[in-house]
Amino acid sequence: DPYIIATLLFSLGLGTTITFASSHWLLAWMGLEINTLAIIPLMARNHHPRAVEATTKYFLTQATAAAVLLFASVSNAWVTGQWDISYMTHPLPNTLIILALSLKIGLAPLHTWMPEVLQGLDLTTGLILSTWQKLAPFYLFLQVAPMNHTLLIVLGLFSTLVGGWGGLNQTQLRKILAYSSIAHLGWMILVLQFSPRLTLLALLTYFVMTFSLFMVFKFNNSTTLNSLTTSWAKAPALTAMLPLILLSLGGLPPLTGFLPKWMILLELTKQSLALIATLAALSALLSLFFYLRVSYAMTLTISPNNTTGTLPWRLNSHLPSTPLALAASLTTCLLPIAPATMALLPL
């Protein structure tokens, strides 16, 4: 029912807006809970066993994270007498808040739910889970001043490594997208305490690139590497564009994805963390390898000349192509305006 879908999407927006507008921990927690409760019917609407399983896993994970977050905020109020989000002076509630938010967005080693949940969803709901659902927790990450700086660096570095290693042997596109998300989140968390504006830049570019990739897979109705081999028969121009989108996600110049990685490595080097920067750059090579596997499957593999391989060109996709064209252009062409982009971001 479109009215129910509209109500749920409105609730998603409302939950994120409440968290954005709050300076009180209880209000922020309420916004996160509205977010979680609004996306659960969207996840389970297919009534497929995999979708129901994914929804159950997601609910249990988010409920655990919300409980830890509430416990940490109550503990902080008990110790300090303050409910304000920016007033986290005790190390124990501060660490618990960071771990709870890490579980909410899927940072390693609290990431194990993310690939399994994304694998059980359709591509549209998976896109919402990979982009919109990250906004509210990231706002809280930016608001909370971390007291344990080593914890954030360990979480970020571990996420980039796990995101690279985990996607190497995957054939399911949604699991590849999940590990890609974990790796990108690791890059954002690495630089969070040194330059929040770089974290914001990395988050925005990640949203644009992920939207492009999800839309390409939805346009081709593909969920596995093998099903990508017939994409040349559906949309030859899109097939030629996909390697550029994937290489942008991998962080190769002169594409958009190079900008946040380059700036993050520069900032880490300025902070005398050359070893961390080197390990992060090497972990990006792992991610680049499985992006290249996807582009190889789509562009250099020709499907057999049978009915399955030759039929799709007769079936036109009815999806609107303008959002995909706009997102693909932004994914590949934003690097030249990098100075202007950095100047626009808030300090």
Side-chain angles (χ1 to χ4, degrees):
D1 191 342
Y3 293 110
I4 294 175
I5 297 291
T7 305
L8 293 173
L9 292 176
F10 174 76
S11 301
L12 272 178
L14 178 66
T16 305
T17 307
I18 288 174
T19 304
F20 279 1
S22 62
S23 59
H24 194 284
W25 271 117
L26 272 181
L27 272 177
W29 174 79
M30 281 171 55
L32 292 172
E33 286 302 287
I34 291 171
N35 238 345
T36 302
L37 294 174
I39 200 175
I40 281 174
L42 292 173
M43 296 169 76
R45 64 179 173 170
N46 289 338
H47 302 294
H48 189 275
R50 287 301 301 267
V52 174
E53 180 191 343
T55 307
T56 307
K57 287 177 179 175
Y58 182 76
F59 174 74
L60 292 174
T61 307
Q62 298 300 305
T64 305
V68 174
L69 189 102
L70 191 59
F71 172 74
S73 55
V74 169
S75 302
N76 184 66
W78 184 29
V79 172
T80 64
Q82 293 286 338
W83 281 96
D84 199 86
I85 290 177
S86 56
Y87 199 83
M88 295 284 292
T89 54
H90 197 277
L92 179 61
N94 192 285
T95 304
L96 283 175
I97 288 281
I98 289 173
L99 290 174
L101 293 174
S102 302
L103 179 59
K104 267 203 169 290
I105 61 175
L107 278 177
L110 307 168
H111 69 286
T112 47
W113 63 271
M114 181 75 177
E116 298 299 323
V117 168
L118 205 58
Q119 175 62 23
L121 304 179
D122 65 323
L123 289 168
T124 307
T125 316
L127 175 61
I128 296 172
L129 181 66
S130 300
T131 52
W132 186 262
Q133 291 297 91
K134 303 281 192 277
L135 283 174
F138 251 99
Y139 167 79
L140 296 177
F141 258 125
L142 291 168
Q143 290 289 97
V144 175
M147 301 182 70
N148 190 348
H149 300 293
T150 312
L151 177 63
L152 281 184
I153 291 176
V154 168
L155 284 172
L157 190 59
F158 200 52
S159 296
T160 58
L161 290 168
V162 166
W165 280 113
L168 284 181
N169 203 29
Q170 299 294 336
T171 58
Q172 298 289 330
L173 295 178
R174 284 167 293 185
K175 282 196 175 181
I176 288 175
L177 288 164
Y179 283 110
S180 167
S181 172
I182 293 165
H184 279 89
L185 292 173
W187 281 87
M188 298 170 211
I189 296 299
L190 268 178
V191 80
L192 177 67
Q193 57 193 322
F194 307 119
S195 178
R197 63 190 296 206
L198 276 186
T199 299
L200 189 58
L201 174 69
L203 185 65
L204 293 176
T205 52
Y206 160 75
F207 279 2
V208 171
M209 294 185 293
T210 304
F211 178 79
S212 302
L213 203 54
F214 267 98
M215 287 299 289
V216 169
F217 294 153
K218 188 168 177 58
F219 200 86
N220 289 313
N221 197 21
S222 300
T223 53
T224 63
L225 278 178
N226 288 338
S227 61
L228 277 180
T229 57
T230 60
S231 61
W232 62 271
K234 296 181 186 178
L238 196 58
T239 305
M241 191 70 183
L242 181 73
L244 293 177
I245 296 173
L246 289 163
L247 292 178
S248 183
L249 268 166
L252 286 190
L255 303 167
T256 304
F258 175 64
L259 171 62
K261 286 188 168 66
W262 173 36
M263 301 300 289
I264 288 170
L265 291 177
L266 190 63
E267 184 64 34
L268 289 174
T269 310
K270 282 181 185 174
Q271 300 291 338
S272 304
L273 294 170
L275 178 61
I276 302 295
T278 306
L279 289 172
L282 290 174
S283 71
L285 294 176
L286 295 170
S287 300
L288 183 62
F289 179 78
F290 63 76
Y291 294 138
L292 286 172
R293 277 185 69 219
V294 177
S295 67
Y296 174 82
M298 189 165 184
T299 56
L300 301 177
T301 308
I302 298 176
S303 63
N305 190 17
N306 54 24
T307 308
T308 309
T310 56
L311 185 64
W313 70 269
R314 304 171 203 179
L315 306 173
N316 292 327
S317 177
H318 298 292
L319 286 173
S321 56
T322 307
L324 174 56
L326 182 62
S329 303
L330 293 175
T331 302
T332 52
C333 303
L334 278 186
L335 188 62
I337 61 167
T341 309
M342 292 300 296
L344 286 172
L345 287 175
L347 290 173

